[in-house]
Amino acid sequence: QVQVVESGGGLVQPGGSLRLSCAVSGIVFDVDKMGWYRQAPGKQRGLVAFITSGGNTNYADSVKDRFTISRDNAKNTVYLQMNSLKPEDTAVYYCNANFASQDYWGQGTQVTVSS
């Protein structure tokens, strides 16, 4: 069984920073892509950023130059450093891990950007 657990969400003022973490555990091997998605109220879930096992990254245009994704392959952990946060970044953030041709999702962590 595979567990995907996110942490690090919360309430932050506009312009502030947060760091999300996601650990994948259980029967895990050769994790290829790890990434973050988000879903705001009334909107579809969309990609924020992903990173491959080789370190290649991809970001949504709306977060480029503000967010940085990284990972620790030995720990099957992925991080999302979020800087210069805006109210429109408010959403539930979901971690995704892809391996053995399957997608695994966490339960999500709430990020709220508000003064």
Side-chain angles (χ1 to χ4, degrees), residues 66-79:
R66 298 190 298 123
F67 291 10
T68 302
I69 191 169
S70 60
R71 66 188 280 176
D72 184 331
N73 289 333
K75 296 180 179 180
N76 287 321
T77 300
V78 63
Y79 307 95

Side-chain angles (χ1 to χ4, degrees), residues 8 11-19 66 81-85:
L11 173 65
V12 64
Q13 292 186 340
S17 298
L18 280 176
R19 188 189 194 215
R66 298 190 298 123
Q81 178 65 43
M82 305 186 292
N83 298 328
S84 302
L85 282 160

Side-chain angles (χ1 to χ4, degrees), residues 10-91:
L11 173 65
V12 64
Q13 292 186 340
S17 298
L18 280 176
R19 188 189 194 215
L20 305 182
S21 299
C22 170
V24 183
S25 62
I27 304 175
V28 181
F29 53 92
D30 296 331
V31 179
D32 182 16
K33 285 182 183 178
M34 298 184 77
W36 293 93
Y37 291 71
R38 67 185 180 186
Q39 186 168 18
K43 295 187 177 181
Q44 289 189 330
R45 188 178 300 187
L47 175 70
V48 176
F50 72 74
I51 183 169
T52 68
S53 58
N56 295 317
T57 59
N58 188 59
Y59 295 91
D61 288 342
S62 59
V63 307
K64 281 180 181 176
D65 300 323
R66 298 190 298 123
F67 291 10
T68 302
I69 191 169
S70 60
R71 66 188 280 176
D72 184 331
N73 289 333
K75 296 180 179 180
N76 287 321
T77 300
V78 63
Y79 307 95
L80 186 68
Q81 178 65 43
M82 305 186 292
N83 298 328
S84 302
L85 282 160
K86 305 175 181 180
E88 51 263 42
D89 295 317
T90 295

Side-chain angles (χ1 to χ4, degrees), residues 98-110:
N98 180 272
F99 64 96
S101 302
Q102 291 193 25
D103 281 316
Y104 296 88
W105 295 91
Q107 293 298 306
T109 184
Q110 177 70 47

